Amino acid sequence: PNPTFGNIKVQFNGARDKEYSFELFNIIGKPVWSTQLFLNNPDQILDVRIHDLEKGIYLYAVSNSQGKRIRTQRLIVIEP
C-alpha cells in the first residue's frame, strides 16, 4: 500500500524473468536500500519488508536481470 508503514507488495503480471532487483532512493536520488526479488511464476505478488526507514517520501525502482528499469514509482513512508 502507498502510503506504507514499512511493508509493501510488488505485483508481477506476465513477468519474463525470474530475478529482479528492487531499489529504494531518497527524494534526492541517493540509494538507501535494495534487495533481490525471486519469482516462482510469471504472475506473483511479493512482500517486500523495508526496515529502518525514516518517515518521508522515497522513490523505488524495479529492474530486470539485464538492469533495465521496468517500473519507478513514488513511495510514502508514514511511520517507520
Side-chain angles (χ1 to χ4, degrees), residues 1-70:
N2 195 4
T4 184
F5 291 97
N7 296 326
I8 64 170
K9 295 183 183 297
V10 180
Q11 182 173 347
F12 291 87
N13 295 314
R16 293 189 174 128
D17 295 318
K18 293 189 179 220
E19 183 178 345
Y20 292 84
S21 65
F22 180 93
E23 299 172 281
L24 194 65
F25 304 90
N26 65 17
I27 197 65
I28 60 171
K30 179 182 176 187
V32 295
W33 192 82
S34 67
T35 191
Q36 294 299 112
L37 304 175
F38 299 95
L39 301 181
N40 295 323
N41 61 63
D43 299 315
Q44 188 172 342
I45 298 174
L46 297 176
D47 289 319
V48 178
R49 290 177 172 73
I50 301 170
H51 304 286
D52 302 325
L53 289 179
E54 294 183 18
K55 186 166 51 170
I57 299 172
Y58 297 86
L59 299 171
Y60 72 84
V62 178
S63 303
N64 65 15
S65 58
Q66 291 80 35
K68 181 180 178 186
R69 287 196 178 151
I70 58 171

